[in-house]
Amino acid sequence: MASFNRERVEHALNELLVRIVPEDPDEDEEVANERYDVAYDHAYRELSEAGDLRVVADINHVASQIDRRLLSDVGGAQKSARFNNLLSRLVSQPVLDQKWRMLYFLHELSGIQRAPEASERRGRLREPATPPRHEATSGSPAFRDAFARPGLSQIPVNEGGPDETSKAGTTRSAAAARAERPERQRERRTQESAQERLGDGELADGTEGPTEPALLRDLPFTLQGLSSTNLAFSSSTVIKLPPSLPVPLVSLLHTLAEPSLLYRGLSEFVESTEGGLVGQSFRSALGKELRSYLGLVATLEGQIRRALAQLDEAQPHYGIGKAGVTLKRCVIWTREATQGLRLMSLMVEESRKKKGGALISLIHSFSLSHGDPYVGAFAERLLSHVTRPFYDMLRQWIYDGELADPFGEFFVYEQSEEEINEAALANSNEGKGGATSVWEDKYKLNDKMIPTIITQEFANKVFLIGKTLNFIRYGCGDAAWVDTYSKEASKELHYGDTANLEQSIGDAYKTTMARLIDLMANKFKLFEHLQALKKYLLLGAGDFIAVLMESLSANLDRPANTQYRHTLTAQLEHAVRNSNAQFDSPDVLRRLDSRMLELSHGEIGWDVFTLEYKIDAPVDVIVTPFGSKQYLKVFNFLWRVKRVEFALGSTWRRCMTGARGVLGTVSDKVGSDWKKVRCGIAEMVHFIDQLQYYILFEVIEASWNELQEALHKPESTLDDMIEAHAKYLNSITRKGLLGSQSTDFTGQLHELLKTMLAYKDAVDGLYSFSVAEFTRIQEQAARIETRTAAGHWGLTERDTSSPDPFANKRASRSDAGSPFPPPLLKIGDAGASEDDVLPALRKRLSHLIKDFRARITILLGDLIHQPDHDMRWLAMVMNFNDVYQPKRRHSHRREKKREKEKETPTAAIPKTGGGKNSS
């Protein structure tokens, strides 16, 4: 069963049947009502039992079928043109939402076969006199004529239909229907009687209806949205027409009512004070167009007055046709104005929730994508007025760097402190503060507010110009230059002058960018600070780092909690005075400082010492707080590498100098061990040298050259500099094995450095053992010589079996006068014998060198499989002779097992060395 609104269907069906069911004045009223009710019940039952349509709701398909049917008739071309015109008017009506069903209904009616007598009776049905009355039976000609093609098709007589056999039941149902609809019947009879009296143009109260001259006299008021005697506005969207007018006049008044209602709604919109500056400008532009419309109405009123003065009552229709002004001509004269009002009303409806750039884009869309030249010209005329506030804001932004947008209509908006803090918390980032927040966070670009009259690239350039001027004014403290520039370069901007606008934006872009780069380079010494960061934090000044490390080594070997800042500062100043750093500017040296990282239990000075280079505004726009942390991260890593290099170099020098003295004496006992030690130290020195060369030259120097090229480009902006510096730091950390996402190179290198330091401590232990052995041999030779000079045998069995009670004292005196550093391992102090210490040292050295080589192979395996060719090159130079067999880490469990195996032998021997002797 079909679903519909019962009340609306009953009302529409009642109006339809009143017009198409003929009536006979000689017929009894009860019989006429019964015949009407039978037709009503049948029609309502047909509607109720009708199922859903099985066709696709396609208005174009139905329209094409109707058009083909019209073309097949006589005069089909004219009918088709008229149908297409009516169809376009139907589609443009926004209040109708069942347009497809209307066309489908008309198409189905056109396919119903005509009744036999329909053609003969059509003329009589259309006569102005009272239509002929017929019998009320279903088989009578009157009944068939009522449902012929001019109205509905004939009711089929089926079982259960309104035939004579079921006349009694039908009479009872009709009586029940009359009891349910008394109000509708009274209304129908009132309308019928009124229509009978209106045959000669009389109203229901006996007076004559308004004539066309009377309507013309009221028309100027109606077109201005004002009520008149014959045409009254019951509301802002409804106009009440006289009830007794002929259909042609009603059609003309319907057409003239459209501009009247549109003007009334538009005038209310124009008089409102809502919206921002662009919205008020839009209202002003509409008001200007409405004033043009009122000018047309005034001209029309003058024509009507002259025409009414020439009327002749003796002629038919008062001779209004000869006067030159009729309602039809008024329709023609107001057609273009009606189209403009309709267009303005459409813009108003679509602009309810739009403002600023979005509103300009809406109006511009009518001129950009509409095919009607009138619509395009109308939209362009509106844009020239609507865009004035937008161009005023644009001019102030690109020449003064100030945002004058009280209603948020510009495509640049300013963030409040609360919004900046919320964004920082959402991004898990600390508050930046300083010039960084002024440049990056103070102003943002709102893409939704960018009007379509400018491109995205143009908007980005405008945004950058204003942000640069604002930064020069407030971040760089150069407001005087901005004011001077604004007075000299400021120009009036308006819509349509695209060439002048592009030239103004281009000139402003070049001037502001050049001024900002000049300030950053000369006034705030940006390039000098970047060079200082490279020299001191990236270890570019080798002599300074060497002096600093040598002067600090004795202090940094002690525990971290014994370090004092004034001591570190004094050593830093000593390193500056004794290196080429003394020739740097005082401002650079003032920013360089030493500090301690957070202390942890068991750490020594090497673990917590770091250098710091202080950056302040506005240079911190480029070297951001995050960038300073990245510099600190790279420095700490390179400082650890330098520490290992310094330790290995000290141990290597001791081994080389000792080989010609102490170590040569004990070569028969530990000579093979020292050969292995020298090979292991050589491997580690090679690894450290290649790693340092790769980071300092292949990574830092190459990235530095790219940074210099990017910073010195002729048209580079501050954003370009920020991006180039961020890319520079990212390249250093990623290629410098500190920022890889797939492999933990930092952890691997940290473990390798720890292994090399442990190996260095073990070598120092072996050296202490060799010195102790050398001392024992020297004492034994001196005892032999003394006993021989006394005439005794050199040594007896008793001398070789009993220890010398004065050996420790002589060893102490020997150490005090020896040119060699004190031994790191004193055998007698630890209570360990020679047979216990040397095997433990050999085992520890062997384990550490194996662990070092195992970690090297894993590191090389990970480097070989990196996508960056520089990392693969590092693996090649570290293993140029294929002494290592690279392999990748396969499981975390295997690594844990390797760590456990490494810790097992180290617990068997106490750690020796450290302090001053370790260096």
Side-chain angles (χ1 to χ4, degrees):
M1 178 179 291
S3 60
F4 47 76
N5 190 319
R6 182 183 181 90
E7 182 178 357
R8 293 180 60 185
V9 170
E10 289 181 352
H11 176 74
L13 193 58
N14 180 41
E15 295 294 329
L16 181 64
L17 292 179
V18 165
R19 286 170 172 76
I20 66 175
V21 176
E23 296 186 7
D24 190 351
D26 300 330
E27 188 179 26
D28 183 65
E29 181 177 357
E30 183 177 357
V31 176
N33 290 338
E34 179 181 353
R35 180 165 52 85
Y36 171 86
D37 292 334
V38 170
Y40 179 89
D41 293 337
H42 175 72
Y44 191 87
R45 186 171 58 253
E46 289 293 328
L47 290 177
S48 301
E49 296 176 356
D52 295 332
L53 294 177
R54 297 184 179 181
V55 294
V56 180
D58 189 356
I59 187 173
N60 296 323
H61 177 67
V62 177
S64 63
Q65 289 184 337
I66 296 176
D67 190 56
R68 285 197 299 269
R69 176 167 292 182
L70 292 175
L71 289 173
S72 62
D73 294 342
V74 180
Q78 296 179 355
K79 294 180 182 179
S80 175
R82 186 179 180 188
F83 169 72
N84 289 323
N85 184 22
L86 294 174
L87 177 63
S88 62
R89 293 172 59 185
L90 174 66
V91 172
S92 63
Q93 295 296 325
V95 297
L96 302 177
D97 56 357
Q98 300 291 338
K99 301 170 186 176
W100 171 80
R101 294 183 180 275
M102 298 176 187
L103 291 178
Y104 184 76
F105 176 71
L106 294 176
H107 175 63
E108 291 298 319
L109 286 181
S110 65
I112 299 176
Q113 298 295 330
R114 302 189 180 190
E117 296 92 0
S119 301
E120 301 176 1
R121 298 189 181 94
R122 186 180 304 168
R124 296 196 299 273
L125 289 174
R126 294 182 178 178
E127 292 178 359
T130 303
R133 304 298 188 261
H134 303 278
E135 295 298 328
T137 61
S138 61
S140 64
F143 200 92
R144 292 195 303 272
D145 191 38
F147 292 92
R149 182 172 179 178
L152 298 175
S153 58
Q154 182 177 358
I155 299 177
V157 180
N158 298 323
E159 295 183 1
D163 53 0
E164 295 182 356
T165 58
S166 59
K167 187 174 182 179
T170 303
T171 303
R172 287 193 298 270
S173 63
R178 286 196 305 274
E180 294 176 357
R181 298 184 296 274
E183 296 181 358
R184 188 177 71 248
Q185 295 175 3
R186 285 196 298 270
E187 180 182 356
R188 178 177 56 80
R189 287 193 293 269
T190 302
Q191 293 177 355
E192 292 172 356
S193 60
Q195 289 178 358
E196 292 176 358
R197 292 196 302 271
L198 293 177
D200 296 329
E202 296 181 356
L203 294 176
D205 56 359
T207 61
E208 293 185 359
T211 60
E212 187 171 358
L215 295 175
L216 283 173
R217 187 178 296 108
D218 294 341
L219 183 61
F221 301 97
T222 304
L223 292 177
Q224 299 178 61
L226 302 175
S227 298
S228 59
T229 304
N230 300 311
L231 302 172
F233 287 90
S234 58
S235 67
S236 60
T237 58
V238 177
I239 183 172
K240 187 176 181 181
L241 302 180
S244 61
L245 294 175
V247 174
L249 286 182
V250 172
S251 176
L252 294 175
L253 290 178
H254 270 289
T255 305
L256 292 171
E258 182 182 2
S260 306
L261 295 173
L262 290 176
Y263 174 80
R264 191 180 179 95
L266 289 172
S267 61
E268 293 178 358
F269 175 77
V270 169
E271 292 172 0
S272 63
T273 58
E274 300 176 357
L277 297 177
V278 178
Q280 290 298 328
S281 181
F282 178 53
R283 287 173 170 79
S284 176
L286 293 182
K288 185 177 180 181
E289 296 295 333
L290 292 182
R291 286 192 293 273
S292 301
Y293 168 77
L294 291 179
L296 172 65
V297 173
T299 304
L300 188 62
E301 183 180 9
Q303 296 289 338
I304 291 174
R305 288 180 181 275
R306 285 192 292 269
L308 292 179
Q310 300 174 6
L311 294 181
D312 186 4
E313 297 182 359
Q315 296 184 5
H317 301 288
Y318 302 97
I320 192 171
K322 297 180 180 180
V325 179
T326 60
L327 289 177
K328 183 175 293 186
R329 289 186 179 180
C330 291
V331 169
I332 296 175
W333 290 339
T334 59
R335 179 173 297 172
E336 185 174 349
T338 303
Q339 186 177 0
L341 292 173
R342 189 184 301 135
L343 180 59
M344 287 189 287
S345 179
L346 179 61
M347 291 180 180
V348 168
E349 290 299 325
E350 295 187 4
S351 67
R352 292 293 183 184
K353 297 182 180 181
K354 298 183 182 296
K355 64 177 183 178
L359 178 58
I360 295 175
S361 299
L362 170 65
I363 302 174
H364 188 243
S365 64
F366 286 91
S367 66
L368 189 66
S369 59
H370 206 285
D372 192 344
Y374 173 79
V375 175
F378 188 87
E380 289 289 328
R381 189 165 64 250
L382 283 182
L383 280 175
S384 63
H385 194 85
V386 173
T387 54
R388 288 179 183 175
F390 172 79
Y391 280 103
D392 289 341
M393 289 185 280
L394 178 64
R395 183 191 60 78
Q396 195 164 357
W397 176 251
I398 65 174
Y399 291 123
D400 296 328
E402 298 290 346
L403 184 61
D405 185 19
F407 299 98
E409 298 176 296
F410 200 54
F411 56 84
V412 179
Y413 68 96
E414 182 177 1
Q415 291 195 122
S416 61
E417 292 293 335
E418 293 78 8
E419 292 175 340
I420 294 176
N421 295 332
E422 290 178 1
L425 293 176
N427 296 330
S428 300
N429 194 7
E430 299 178 357
K432 299 177 182 178
T436 307
S437 61
V438 172
W439 178 260
E440 295 185 358
D441 300 330
K442 185 176 181 181
Y443 294 105
K444 293 293 184 181
L445 191 65
N446 187 1
D447 293 334
K448 296 181 180 179
M449 284 295 174
I450 298 178
T452 54
I453 59 176
I454 62 177
T455 61
Q456 181 71 35
E457 181 182 359
F458 188 87
N460 291 331
K461 187 176 291 187
V462 168
F463 171 66
L464 188 58
I465 292 172
K467 189 170 68 168
T468 302
L469 287 174
N470 188 274
F471 183 72
I472 293 175
R473 181 189 295 271
Y474 297 105
C476 301
D478 197 6
W481 180 88
V482 176
D483 295 336
T484 304
Y485 163 76
S486 177
K487 293 178 182 178
E488 295 177 354
S490 181
K491 298 179 182 178
E492 189 69 25
L493 304 177
H494 54 85
Y495 177 74
D497 193 1
T498 306
N500 186 24
L501 179 62
E502 291 181 354
Q503 182 180 0
S504 301
I505 296 299
D507 295 341
Y509 183 81
K510 294 178 182 178
T511 304
T512 54
M513 293 303 111
R515 178 60 181 177
L516 181 57
I517 298 304
D518 180 70
L519 287 174
M520 297 297 289
N522 298 323
K523 182 179 180 180
F524 300 105
K525 310 294 182 183
L526 169 65
F527 302 115
E528 187 175 338
H529 293 316
L530 292 177
Q531 182 70 35
L533 287 169
K534 177 177 178 290
K535 287 175 62 177
Y536 299 117
L537 296 189
L538 301 183
L539 308 191
D543 58 336
F544 167 78
I545 297 298
V547 174
L548 179 64
M549 185 165 289
E550 187 174 354
S551 61
L552 284 175
S553 59
N555 292 328
L556 297 182
D557 284 331
R558 295 197 298 265
N561 55 7
T562 63
Q563 306 295 327
Y564 299 101
R565 181 158 186 169
H566 64 273
T567 305
L568 300 178
T569 304
Q571 296 297 333
L572 177 63
E573 294 177 356
H574 169 74
V576 170
R577 288 193 303 268
N578 289 275
S579 64
N580 288 327
Q582 60 181 318
F583 301 110
D584 283 340
S585 65
D587 181 59
V588 170
L589 297 178
R590 178 180 57 84
R591 297 172 183 271
L592 186 63
D593 193 11
S594 61
R595 66 185 183 92
M596 308 294 292
L597 301 176
E598 295 183 3
L599 302 179
S600 299
H601 180 70
E603 290 183 338
I604 61 176
W606 290 103
D607 301 324
V608 297
F609 173 80
T610 186
L611 285 181
E612 180 183 23
Y613 191 85
K614 299 176 182 178
I615 297 292
D616 52 14
V619 182
D620 63 353
V621 171
I622 297 178
V623 186
T624 61
F626 176 76
S628 298
K629 293 180 181 178
Q630 294 295 95
Y631 276 112
L632 183 62
K633 179 180 179 181
V634 176
F635 171 78
N636 291 333
F637 172 70
L638 293 177
W639 183 253
R640 289 198 299 268
V641 175
K642 275 290 182 183
R643 177 208 174 181
V644 173
E645 181 195 29
F646 181 77
L648 292 177
S650 301
T651 302
W652 179 262
R653 285 194 301 271
R654 179 183 296 180
C655 293
M656 293 299 101
T657 55
R660 296 189 295 269
V662 177
L663 302 184
T665 307
V666 296
S667 60
D668 57 338
K669 190 169 187 178
V670 292
S672 61
D673 296 322
W674 278 109
K675 289 182 181 179
K676 295 178 181 178
V677 164
R678 282 192 289 269
C679 292
I681 293 178
E683 288 186 34
M684 295 178 181
V685 170
H686 171 74
F687 171 78
I688 287 295
D689 289 343
Q690 295 301 327
L691 180 62
Q692 282 193 101
Y693 169 79
Y694 168 74
I695 296 176
L696 295 178
F697 293 95
E698 297 296 334
V699 176
I700 295 179
E701 285 296 332
S703 301
W704 174 258
N705 293 334
E706 295 177 359
L707 175 64
Q708 293 299 306
E709 293 177 1
L711 293 180
H712 290 88
K713 285 183 179 179
E715 299 181 356
S716 62
T717 65
L718 189 59
D719 281 331
D720 295 335
M721 289 185 170
I722 295 173
E723 183 180 358
H725 185 260
K727 182 180 179 182
Y728 167 68
L729 286 179
N730 181 60
S731 176
I732 290 175
T733 54
R734 183 177 58 83
K735 290 186 177 181
L737 311 179
L738 299 176
S740 178
Q741 299 179 353
S742 59
T743 308
D744 183 20
F745 288 114
T746 306
Q748 294 187 48
L749 291 173
H750 181 67
E751 293 298 328
L752 275 169
L753 296 178
K754 286 173 60 178
T755 302
M756 285 187 278
L757 287 175
Y759 189 81
K760 176 256 181 190
D761 291 339
V763 171
D764 288 342
L766 181 62
Y767 186 84
S768 299
F769 176 84
S770 299
V771 170
E773 181 67 16
F774 171 76
T775 304
R776 186 185 65 79
I777 293 174
Q778 291 294 329
E779 290 176 352
Q780 188 177 14
R783 192 182 308 158
I784 292 173
E785 185 177 354
T786 302
R787 290 180 63 86
T788 303
H792 302 287
W793 289 102
L795 289 177
T796 63
E797 292 181 1
R798 188 170 127 192
D799 294 330
T800 57
S801 61
S802 62
D804 188 357
F806 302 101
N808 290 336
K809 293 182 180 181
R810 286 195 300 271
S812 300
R813 289 195 300 269
S814 175
D815 292 342
S818 174
F820 305 107
L824 299 179
L825 179 63
K826 296 182 187 285
I827 301 175
D829 294 346
S833 64
E834 177 183 341
D835 298 335
D836 297 332
V837 173
L838 186 59
L841 283 172
R842 288 172 176 172
K843 187 175 182 181
R844 177 174 173 81
L845 289 170
S846 175
H847 170 75
L848 288 175
I849 194 64
K850 288 180 180 178
D851 184 62
F852 171 77
R853 290 168 179 168
R855 293 183 183 278
I856 282 288
T857 57
I858 295 176
L859 177 64
L860 294 177
D862 292 337
L863 288 173
I864 288 174
H865 292 86
Q866 291 300 310
D868 188 83
H869 65 89
D870 289 332
M871 293 185 179
R872 298 196 299 270
W873 180 86
L874 174 62
M876 186 271 295
V877 296
M878 283 185 176
N879 192 27
F880 66 94
N881 55 357
D882 294 332
V883 69
Y884 304 110
Q885 300 298 323
K887 59 181 179 180
R888 304 196 69 178
R889 187 192 305 265
H890 296 290
S891 65
H892 187 66
R893 184 179 302 174
R894 183 178 300 176
E895 181 63 23
K896 288 291 185 181
K897 183 178 180 180
R898 189 181 295 115
E899 292 290 338
K900 187 179 295 185
E901 291 174 356
K902 183 188 75 170
E903 293 174 358
T904 302
T906 59
I909 179 172
K911 289 189 177 180
T912 60
K916 296 181 180 179
N917 298 332
S918 64
S919 59

